[in-house]
Amino acid sequence: MTVIGDGLEAAVHKAFTRPAPKTAPAQMRYLVRKLKGTKAVAQLLGVSQRTVERYVKNQIKKPRPELAARLEREVKKRWQPQIRAQARKRAATSDGIVIDTRARLGYTAPIGSTDESRVRHLTVALPPHHAARLFDAQEAGADDRQLQQITADALREVYFQDGGRRAGTLEEVRFTDIEHVEFEL
């Protein structure tokens, strides 16, 4: 995944109404129910079908670290899909999304302005149409560079131009060297 994509997923996960299964056997049983069989889960995780059956029966309780990470990722990807869809829809239509980031931000502007990029810590509420662009791009499989550009365009409009009230000649915002990014729905 990507830095921005991971941040968007973490924000959506905060909307869950119930916690996802924590133990490996519970996670394995959940995946078996969702994928309707141990063979499909085994192929998904890259383990044998017998290993999946042993987890389901509580004969194995502690997976290898790489298997534990894959297992948790696959469970969270499938956990509460309707809640996830509702949270994305709400952010994209009415509530918007809040971004908290510490990154290097600079811009392209006419000669004579101080367009030197510098590290800034910003917490900005983005309107719903920017949230919709981010979620649509993420679902379409956009890479980190594309998601960064969409975020930079949103920051240009909302933070630097203040919705058209200032910096009208600002052309492009550079959003690089991301130290951290967090989204809140």
Side-chain angles (χ1 to χ4, degrees):
M1 192 55 83
T2 63
V3 175
I4 306 270
D6 288 343
L8 289 170
E9 280 302 312
V12 171
H13 288 188
K14 290 177 188 173
F16 288 161
T17 57
R18 293 188 335 258
K22 297 272 189 254
T23 65
Q27 290 173 334
M28 210 55 94
R29 285 189 291 274
Y30 173 75
L31 284 177
V32 167
R33 270 195 318 273
K34 282 305 252 188
L35 299 177
K36 298 180 179 25
T38 56
K39 187 174 185 177
V41 175
Q43 289 174 343
L44 176 71
L45 298 174
V47 295
S48 70
Q49 186 174 355
R50 180 67 186 131
T51 301
V52 173
E53 292 167 356
R54 291 173 65 200
Y55 275 107
V56 168
K57 292 178 182 177
N58 268 348
Q59 293 173 345
I60 305 176
K61 296 182 183 188
K62 194 82 169 138
R64 302 179 316 272
E66 64 273 2
L67 177 59
R70 277 195 316 258
L71 191 56
E72 185 174 344
R73 184 178 62 244
E74 294 299 331
V75 167
K76 282 194 174 183
K77 190 186 299 183
R78 290 165 175 79
W79 187 250
Q80 292 191 332
Q82 286 125 352
I83 300 292
R84 180 179 301 143
Q86 287 171 357
R88 286 177 182 223
K89 182 178 178 188
R90 192 172 49 250
T93 56
S94 62
D95 293 350
I97 194 168
V98 176
I99 180 174
D100 179 60
T101 186
R102 181 169 169 81
R104 182 168 299 279
L105 288 155
Y107 48 87
T108 305
I111 296 173
S113 65
T114 57
D115 62 351
E116 190 66 32
S117 63
R118 65 179 188 258
V119 175
R120 301 174 195 238
H121 181 229
L122 299 177
T123 302
V124 179
L126 301 178
H129 66 277
H130 290 298
R133 281 187 63 205
L134 279 168
F135 285 130
D136 290 345
Q138 183 187 26
E139 285 181 22
D143 64 355
D144 195 38
R145 186 184 51 76
Q146 293 167 320
L147 290 174
Q148 279 182 359
Q149 187 58 49
I150 292 169
T151 306
D153 292 342
L155 290 173
R156 175 180 51 103
E157 183 182 314
V158 175
Y159 178 75
F160 289 107
Q161 292 181 329
D162 195 17
R165 287 190 280 280
R166 60 186 167 132
T169 59
L170 194 64
E171 297 168 12
E172 177 189 4
V173 170
R174 291 182 302 279
F175 182 57
T176 58
D177 300 339
I178 299 172
E179 292 179 17
H180 98 96
V181 65
E182 190 174 315
F183 293 94
E184 189 77 32
L185 301 179

